[in-house]
Amino acid sequence: MDTTGDLDPIETGEWMDALGAVQQHRGGDRSNYLINRLVDQGRRDGVYVPRSLTTAYRNTIPPEREDICPLDRVNRQFLAQRPNHLWVSDFTYVSTWQGWLYVAFVID
């Protein structure tokens, strides 16, 4: 194990040994439970614990059954002849450290 930057490698080793013992004797579900509880408690206590940007997403719709993209009704020509004549909108979402951010754009 790389101990570069570790302020207390002995304590770290004890934590790693304890986690290894739980993994070996109680299994992965118990290990995951304990780690998640530690992370949750740490966050409640103000410890910075970065969130993972990966998700367990898996597309379950076969490509041949997926909906087609909406039509481009303005043929990518966004020049309106007068106000309130052409409206363009988009809706998207972005993963952030705090959760999902939903954004809608509407342009006249």
Side-chain angles (χ1 to χ4, degrees):
M1 172 176 31
D2 183 16
T3 59
T4 306
D6 191 343
L7 298 177
D8 192 344
I10 294 173
E11 180 184 43
T12 301
E14 291 171 354
W15 278 93
M16 298 304 291
D17 290 344
L19 182 61
V22 170
Q23 174 72 28
Q24 182 179 5
H25 298 288
R26 301 288 302 276
D29 288 343
R30 179 66 179 157
S31 298
N32 286 332
Y33 173 80
L34 291 172
I35 290 171
N36 287 331
R37 286 289 307 270
L38 286 169
V39 168
D40 290 345
Q41 185 63 49
R43 285 187 176 131
R44 279 193 298 275
D45 292 344
V47 176
Y48 172 70
V49 181
R51 296 188 184 274
S52 173
L53 295 179
T54 59
T55 63
Y57 173 79
R58 179 176 168 209
N59 188 1
T60 58
I61 303 172
E64 62 273 5
R65 290 190 52 225
E66 287 185 0
D67 290 335
I68 59 171
C69 292
L71 298 175
D72 180 358
R73 296 179 186 264
V74 296
N75 199 25
R76 306 210 55 81
Q77 301 298 316
F78 302 109
L79 180 62
Q81 300 300 320
R82 62 187 182 278
N84 206 23
H85 178 71
L86 174 66
W87 289 67
V88 179
S89 65
D90 188 25
F91 180 81
T92 190
Y93 55 95
V94 181
S95 176
T96 70
W97 293 110
Q98 296 295 316
W100 290 99
L101 171 67
Y102 296 90
V103 183
F105 300 93
V106 179
I107 302 171
D108 173 16

